[in-house]
Amino acid sequence: MKNDWWKQSVVYQIYPKSFLDSNHDGIGDLKGIIQKLDYIKLLGVDVIWLCPVYESPQVDNGYDISDYYQISKLYGSMDDMDTLIKESKARGIKIMVDLVVNHTSDQHPWFIESRKSKDNPYRDYYIWSDQPNDLTSNFGGSAWSYDEKTKQYYLHFYSEQQPDLNWENPDMRRAIYKMMNFWIEKGIGGFRMDVIDLIGKEPDKKIKENGPKLHDYLKEMNEYTFGPANLITVGETWGATPEIGHLYTDAGRKELNMVFQFEHMNLDKQPGKHRWDLKKLDLIDLKDVLSKWQDSFSEDGWNSLFWNNHDLPRIVSRWGNDREYRELSAKMLATLLHGMKGTPFIYQGEELGMTNTNFESIDDYPDIETQNMYKDRLATGFSKEEIMQSIHMKARDNARTPMQWNSSENAGFSTIQPWMKVNTNYRKVNVEQSLVDPDSVFFHYQKLIALRKEKDILIKGRYELVDHDNTQVYAYKRIMDDQELLIVCNFYETPADLHYSEGTKEEDIGILISNYPDSPRALDHLLLRPYEAVVYEFNKR
Ligand code: GLC
Ligand code: CA
């Protein structure tokens, strides 16, 4: 296997709680995933990113881990995990696990020990202080909580039940590496590293992200764990710029393969404010940001490509059109992303064009982040309507509703009421329906993935933006040696023009994929229909 196999891969993300419930308790589980491996294989992906399935009190849906070596009973057993790894492998699919090591649960034995006394051997596994400063938690409120027992404050950048680990402590680091090696020996294919840009924190200096020792820790981690194993590694880095992205991903630095950067995902919020403070996306901004990341990584380092994950609303509702153009716009967004250079990630249900929710009650949004925000904003004078509007647009729970398998009750996810409400459109939007319709969003994704395997230019070709100032069409080229692709995407529901005069004859222009059956080839004056997206290939004579 080639060292950079992950450059040719496409990753499918599974949120286990909402994928498939095999034992009828309303919660998705590992056996449910195993049952659907053939479905995932049909899509054509190479890697599954599995969100946390470890022992956890589930305050933050498993991102609060109380035992890194155990599978939560909610999801099954270690035998199920071994079976999942084995059965995936038999289908040529690797399992990338979630690595949550910025913090643990407050129920982790390390923290239970740590809070017992100031001289406990585990005291320094976490961060304690006599005096809190004004650092805030990403889930609202102070990042410090007072602990009665030893009369000090501990740090938590997320909920009170997610105390931050102290990466300055070499014993703690060694314990983490040991745990990582346990999973590597089990045969996993890689790690997705949760909020990894926080591990270099220096709370006294109010440094949260991108602390001075962050990259030393990652180099050390690489050396002691996955470095020699040829795995896929992706860091979640909300605060990365392209310069910072290179520190993580330039090959010679021996840190990670790629990071999730979120600059494009922040374009529809008011600058300097929170993502709940909505703003319309400007297509030119999107071109600028994505092109910057494409251009910056044309030589060294590597990009990840994504629109969705379990923390983001559904892209078709966000920047597409989830009403009359749901399928066309879902395919357009997929084409735009999968034509770019990098490793694409697909989040469960994205391949069906699953949409945001519109539940009326805050009680139908269990996520701790949303619940906290709702209370905070009510207290500071926002109206319920305003808050619910933000939730419908941006809440993480939009992505966390059960996967829609068929039109039977609970969308075929479970025979009982699921842990979270099913999206009301499941009778129309579901897997069964997608698989009988050759024009479905699913088959468009399947084709995009297959094209990556056929056309090396999609992996290696250089990116070049076309017609920057066009406010409606996002167009770019991929270039490799004497080959060239042109990707054009009408981002809106009104028809749009693109002038692209290469003087190429129509018979020399092939269409690799399109979301209309009869896309035009007259490139000197292209007229694109609503959300039309085409990948053109120029046949060299
Ligand atoms: C990451 C996860 C998110 C979680 C947070 C704290 O951002 O993706 O779901 O709440 O880290 O672990
Ligand atoms: Ca279950």
mmCIF file of all heavy atoms in Angstrom, residues 115-118 123 128-131 145-154:
data_model
loop_
_atom_site.group_PDB
_atom_site.id
_atom_site.type_symbol
_atom_site.label_atom_id
_atom_site.label_comp_id
_atom_site.label_asym_id
_atom_site.label_seq_id
_atom_site.Cartn_x
_atom_site.Cartn_y
_atom_site.Cartn_z
ATOM 1 N N ARG A 115 -9.226 14.700 41.471
ATOM 2 C CA ARG A 115 -9.946 15.663 42.324
ATOM 3 C C ARG A 115 -9.928 15.270 43.794
ATOM 4 O O ARG A 115 -10.396 16.016 44.640
ATOM 5 C CB ARG A 115 -11.378 15.861 41.791
ATOM 6 C CG ARG A 115 -12.342 14.750 42.104
ATOM 7 C CD ARG A 115 -13.586 14.767 41.232
ATOM 8 N NE ARG A 115 -14.224 16.072 41.142
ATOM 9 C CZ ARG A 115 -15.361 16.305 40.449
ATOM 10 N NH1 ARG A 115 -15.973 15.309 39.813
ATOM 11 N NH2 ARG A 115 -15.884 17.500 40.399
ATOM 12 N N LYS A 116 -9.355 14.082 44.104
ATOM 13 C CA LYS A 116 -9.353 13.607 45.495
ATOM 14 C C LYS A 116 -8.492 14.464 46.415
ATOM 15 O O LYS A 116 -8.879 14.789 47.530
ATOM 16 C CB LYS A 116 -8.878 12.151 45.576
ATOM 17 C CG LYS A 116 -9.964 11.139 45.266
ATOM 18 C CD LYS A 116 -9.464 9.717 45.481
ATOM 19 C CE LYS A 116 -10.555 8.711 45.105
ATOM 20 N NZ LYS A 116 -9.972 7.383 44.863
ATOM 21 N N SER A 117 -7.260 14.770 45.964
ATOM 22 C CA SER A 117 -6.376 15.572 46.823
ATOM 23 C C SER A 117 -5.318 16.252 45.971
ATOM 24 O O SER A 117 -5.033 15.810 44.857
ATOM 25 C CB SER A 117 -5.678 14.678 47.852
ATOM 26 O OG SER A 117 -4.791 13.804 47.183
ATOM 27 N N LYS A 118 -4.729 17.284 46.525
ATOM 28 C CA LYS A 118 -3.724 18.035 45.769
ATOM 29 C C LYS A 118 -2.463 17.219 45.511
ATOM 30 O O LYS A 118 -1.706 17.526 44.594
ATOM 31 C CB LYS A 118 -3.367 19.318 46.503
ATOM 32 C CG LYS A 118 -4.465 20.364 46.411
ATOM 33 C CD LYS A 118 -4.005 21.664 47.005
ATOM 34 C CE LYS A 118 -5.090 22.721 46.858
ATOM 35 N NZ LYS A 118 -4.814 23.917 47.642
ATOM 36 N N ARG A 123 -3.221 14.235 40.087
ATOM 37 C CA ARG A 123 -3.616 15.648 40.165
ATOM 38 C C ARG A 123 -3.222 16.396 38.891
ATOM 39 O O ARG A 123 -3.991 17.111 38.285
ATOM 40 C CB ARG A 123 -2.947 16.297 41.383
ATOM 41 C CG ARG A 123 -3.390 17.751 41.628
ATOM 42 C CD ARG A 123 -4.813 17.785 42.108
ATOM 43 N NE ARG A 123 -5.283 19.102 42.545
ATOM 44 C CZ ARG A 123 -6.508 19.325 42.985
ATOM 45 N NH1 ARG A 123 -7.403 18.334 43.033
ATOM 46 N NH2 ARG A 123 -6.876 20.521 43.381
ATOM 47 N N TRP A 128 -5.450 22.608 37.348
ATOM 48 C CA TRP A 128 -6.076 23.157 38.558
ATOM 49 C C TRP A 128 -5.506 24.528 38.859
ATOM 50 O O TRP A 128 -4.333 24.796 38.597
ATOM 51 C CB TRP A 128 -5.814 22.227 39.749
ATOM 52 C CG TRP A 128 -6.479 20.890 39.611
ATOM 53 C CD1 TRP A 128 -5.934 19.763 39.077
ATOM 54 C CD2 TRP A 128 -7.802 20.548 40.024
ATOM 55 N NE1 TRP A 128 -6.836 18.713 39.118
ATOM 56 C CE2 TRP A 128 -8.000 19.177 39.705
ATOM 57 C CE3 TRP A 128 -8.857 21.250 40.621
ATOM 58 C CZ2 TRP A 128 -9.208 18.506 39.960
ATOM 59 C CZ3 TRP A 128 -10.036 20.585 40.894
ATOM 60 C CH2 TRP A 128 -10.208 19.215 40.559
ATOM 61 N N SER A 129 -6.341 25.373 39.443
ATOM 62 C CA SER A 129 -5.852 26.710 39.761
ATOM 63 C C SER A 129 -6.602 27.277 40.975
ATOM 64 O O SER A 129 -7.779 26.964 41.191
ATOM 65 C CB SER A 129 -6.067 27.605 38.537
ATOM 66 O OG SER A 129 -5.864 28.949 38.889
ATOM 67 N N ASP A 130 -5.896 28.126 41.733
ATOM 68 C CA ASP A 130 -6.554 28.786 42.873
ATOM 69 C C ASP A 130 -7.488 29.876 42.395
ATOM 70 O O ASP A 130 -8.473 30.199 43.023
ATOM 71 C CB ASP A 130 -5.502 29.419 43.799
ATOM 72 C CG ASP A 130 -4.744 28.344 44.549
ATOM 73 O OD1 ASP A 130 -5.356 27.298 44.864
ATOM 74 O OD2 ASP A 130 -3.530 28.532 44.787
ATOM 75 N N GLN A 131 -7.111 30.455 41.271
ATOM 76 C CA GLN A 131 -7.789 31.665 40.817
ATOM 77 C C GLN A 131 -8.248 31.497 39.368
ATOM 78 O O GLN A 131 -7.412 31.333 38.482
ATOM 79 C CB GLN A 131 -6.751 32.813 40.922
ATOM 80 C CG GLN A 131 -7.320 34.191 41.043
ATOM 81 C CD GLN A 131 -8.409 34.291 42.128
ATOM 82 O OE1 GLN A 131 -8.164 33.944 43.273
ATOM 83 N NE2 GLN A 131 -9.587 34.738 41.724
ATOM 84 N N SER A 145 -14.377 25.550 36.787
ATOM 85 C CA SER A 145 -15.388 25.167 37.771
ATOM 86 C C SER A 145 -14.718 24.912 39.104
ATOM 87 O O SER A 145 -13.629 24.314 39.166
ATOM 88 C CB SER A 145 -16.129 23.907 37.338
ATOM 89 O OG SER A 145 -17.069 24.237 36.346
ATOM 90 N N TYR A 146 -15.374 25.347 40.151
ATOM 91 C CA TYR A 146 -14.836 25.206 41.504
ATOM 92 C C TYR A 146 -15.116 23.802 42.012
ATOM 93 O O TYR A 146 -16.207 23.265 41.835
ATOM 94 C CB TYR A 146 -15.518 26.236 42.413
ATOM 95 C CG TYR A 146 -14.927 26.294 43.794
ATOM 96 C CD1 TYR A 146 -13.603 26.720 43.987
ATOM 97 C CD2 TYR A 146 -15.690 25.946 44.905
ATOM 98 C CE1 TYR A 146 -13.067 26.785 45.256
ATOM 99 C CE2 TYR A 146 -15.155 26.013 46.183
ATOM 100 C CZ TYR A 146 -13.832 26.425 46.352
ATOM 101 O OH TYR A 146 -13.293 26.489 47.606
ATOM 102 N N ASP A 147 -14.116 23.196 42.635
ATOM 103 C CA ASP A 147 -14.313 21.871 43.202
ATOM 104 C C ASP A 147 -14.158 21.963 44.721
ATOM 105 O O ASP A 147 -13.067 22.235 45.234
ATOM 106 C CB ASP A 147 -13.311 20.889 42.592
ATOM 107 C CG ASP A 147 -13.822 19.471 42.670
ATOM 108 O OD1 ASP A 147 -15.028 19.251 42.420
ATOM 109 O OD2 ASP A 147 -13.016 18.573 42.998
ATOM 110 N N GLU A 148 -15.237 21.742 45.405
ATOM 111 C CA GLU A 148 -15.338 21.894 46.859
ATOM 112 C C GLU A 148 -14.245 21.121 47.597
ATOM 113 O O GLU A 148 -13.557 21.665 48.467
ATOM 114 C CB GLU A 148 -16.728 21.373 47.256
ATOM 115 C CG GLU A 148 -17.293 21.854 48.571
ATOM 116 C CD GLU A 148 -17.120 23.359 48.817
ATOM 117 O OE1 GLU A 148 -17.699 24.186 48.071
ATOM 118 O OE2 GLU A 148 -16.396 23.696 49.759
ATOM 119 N N LYS A 149 -14.050 19.874 47.197
ATOM 120 C CA LYS A 149 -13.165 18.964 47.923
ATOM 121 C C LYS A 149 -11.781 19.556 48.178
ATOM 122 O O LYS A 149 -11.289 19.545 49.307
ATOM 123 C CB LYS A 149 -13.046 17.648 47.136
ATOM 124 C CG LYS A 149 -12.222 16.569 47.783
ATOM 125 C CD LYS A 149 -13.077 15.672 48.687
ATOM 126 C CE LYS A 149 -12.271 14.886 49.702
ATOM 127 N NZ LYS A 149 -11.431 13.848 49.134
ATOM 128 N N THR A 150 -11.139 20.061 47.122
ATOM 129 C CA THR A 150 -9.767 20.563 47.310
ATOM 130 C C THR A 150 -9.705 22.085 47.155
ATOM 131 O O THR A 150 -8.623 22.672 47.121
ATOM 132 C CB THR A 150 -8.802 19.925 46.291
ATOM 133 O OG1 THR A 150 -9.331 20.142 44.983
ATOM 134 C CG2 THR A 150 -8.628 18.443 46.541
ATOM 135 N N LYS A 151 -10.860 22.702 47.034
ATOM 136 C CA LYS A 151 -10.963 24.158 47.005
ATOM 137 C C LYS A 151 -10.092 24.816 45.920
ATOM 138 O O LYS A 151 -9.399 25.801 46.149
ATOM 139 C CB LYS A 151 -10.646 24.756 48.383
ATOM 140 C CG LYS A 151 -11.511 24.143 49.490
ATOM 141 C CD LYS A 151 -11.721 25.084 50.629
ATOM 142 C CE LYS A 151 -12.681 24.596 51.707
ATOM 143 N NZ LYS A 151 -13.639 23.553 51.356
ATOM 144 N N GLN A 152 -10.106 24.201 44.767
ATOM 145 C CA GLN A 152 -9.451 24.798 43.594
ATOM 146 C C GLN A 152 -10.412 24.711 42.401
ATOM 147 O O GLN A 152 -11.412 23.989 42.455
ATOM 148 C CB GLN A 152 -8.158 24.063 43.264
ATOM 149 C CG GLN A 152 -6.964 24.515 44.093
ATOM 150 C CD GLN A 152 -5.650 24.007 43.501
ATOM 151 O OE1 GLN A 152 -5.553 22.857 43.074
ATOM 152 N NE2 GLN A 152 -4.634 24.865 43.492
ATOM 153 N N TYR A 153 -10.046 25.417 41.345
ATOM 154 C CA TYR A 153 -10.841 25.396 40.119
ATOM 155 C C TYR A 153 -10.164 24.485 39.092
ATOM 156 O O TYR A 153 -8.936 24.461 39.010
ATOM 157 C CB TYR A 153 -10.932 26.793 39.507
ATOM 158 C CG TYR A 153 -11.666 27.792 40.371
ATOM 159 C CD1 TYR A 153 -11.023 28.428 41.438
ATOM 160 C CD2 TYR A 153 -12.999 28.106 40.098
ATOM 161 C CE1 TYR A 153 -11.688 29.344 42.230
ATOM 162 C CE2 TYR A 153 -13.674 29.026 40.876
ATOM 163 C CZ TYR A 153 -13.014 29.650 41.945
ATOM 164 O OH TYR A 153 -13.685 30.557 42.712
ATOM 165 N N TYR A 154 -10.967 23.760 38.304
ATOM 166 C CA TYR A 154 -10.374 22.994 37.194
ATOM 167 C C TYR A 154 -10.860 23.569 35.863
ATOM 168 O O TYR A 154 -11.931 24.161 35.768
ATOM 169 C CB TYR A 154 -10.680 21.490 37.300
ATOM 170 C CG TYR A 154 -12.134 21.123 37.162
ATOM 171 C CD1 TYR A 154 -12.684 20.852 35.901
ATOM 172 C CD2 TYR A 154 -12.956 21.016 38.275
ATOM 173 C CE1 TYR A 154 -14.023 20.514 35.765
ATOM 174 C CE2 TYR A 154 -14.300 20.675 38.154
ATOM 175 C CZ TYR A 154 -14.828 20.421 36.885
ATOM 176 O OH TYR A 154 -16.159 20.093 36.752
#
